[in-house]
Amino acid sequence: MMSNNTPNNREVLLELKNLCVSYQGKTKQVHAVKNTDLTVYRGDSLGIVGESGSGKSTLALAVLRLLPERVARVTGEVNFMGQDLLSLDRDRLKSIRWNNLSVVFQKAMNSFSPVHRIGEQVEDIYRVHNPGATKAEVFNRVSSLLKLVNLGDQVYNLYPHEMSGGMIQRVSIAVSLLHDPDLLIFDEATTALDVITQRQILKEITAMEKDLNMSRIMITHDISVVASSCKKIAVMYAGEIMEEGMSKDVLKNPMHPYTKGLLASFPALRGEKKALKAIKGFLPDLSIRHEGCIFSPRCEAVHDKCRLTRPEPLKMSDGRMVACTLYNREQSP
């Protein structure tokens, strides 16, 4: 069991230690997440960004233990509130999900039964952890959360097919907040929303985090979402964390060439216009062993050491972590 407190008395809510995830196919094994260490403190908001296929969603599913055990092998530790989720029995795990640890997925339409009204389904979800709740209690709780995501009580009596994809996504976000979870994971959850609704929801969630001391992990390919709503950022590529730190530091002064490439391919929201520049090449084949830095075939700053040596994560003087052979231990505190 891990310690729940650090020397500065910040409570460690989630700690990943050497987390690895591999998928076993008929002819090959794909290493989707490799040797990942991450720490989320209570009150943190962490954005995980990277290209599609970088392992972001696999990382979230591993934390939630929702990967199919038949084909996915997960090793390492996922310590949540002092308990290793990977070693818990199913009953204990079920008591933690939604109550302490909640998630919102991208395709929320698949989460709801097409033949039952939204209100009936949300009531059933609420009663999993509150079996004695009255109908009035459930309705009042759900009604307040629907208003939070800019929906009215009329949604209660609608079927999923009577709602737009964006409305369903907002209902899914409301459901994730039913039990005031300690940690909320968004897996591309705001992708289906228009910009105005997305901004409103992120603003409300940020305000609620302060009131409830709730923490959040935001998995997205949209750097603007992280810039506007997350205190910290982790940049992921091919299953590995390339750079991690405070959003204001990493986005303003990126250190890793991959982070620089991501920012160069994203339009500036303020200031002068700039020409967008794509990162050359493609994600590597994760079923084969790669010597050296996994990003080296696409890196514009590559040198001989990159191709031969796997960079070790270094903690820099500003507190961020970077895994790149351009930096050395003399530059870290």
Side-chain angles (χ1 to χ4, degrees), residues 306-323:
C306 302
R307 300 185 179 94
L308 301 174
T309 305
R310 183 182 183 276
E312 293 295 327
L314 288 178
K315 188 171 184 179
M316 311 308 289
S317 57
D318 62 358
R320 85 173 76 183
M321 184 284 295
V322 62

Side-chain angles (χ1 to χ4, degrees), residues 98 102-112 118 122 125 145-146 149 151 155 163 165-178 184-186 189 193 201:
W98 297 111
S102 193
V103 61
V104 184
F105 295 109
Q106 180 177 359
K107 298 179 180 180
M109 186 66 76
N110 300 332
S111 303
F112 294 94
I118 290 294
V122 177
I125 295 170
L145 291 174
L146 290 176
V149 295
L151 292 173
V155 170
M163 304 167 65
M167 292 173 70
I168 288 289
Q169 193 68 35
R170 282 180 274 172
V171 171
S172 186
I173 293 172
V175 169
S176 72
L177 300 171
L178 277 174
L184 179 57
I185 299 176
F186 282 78
L193 305 177
I201 288 175

Side-chain angles (χ1 to χ4, degrees), residues 63-79:
V63 170
L64 294 159
R65 270 182 62 182
L66 291 177
L67 292 171
E69 296 180 0
R70 184 174 60 85
V71 296
R73 181 172 182 264
V74 183
T75 60
E77 295 180 30
V78 178
N79 292 310

Side-chain angles (χ1 to χ4, degrees), residues 15 75 137 203 214 300 320:
E15 186 175 30
T75 60
E137 178 186 340
K203 182 179 179 181
M214 186 176 72
E300 294 187 348
R320 85 173 76 183

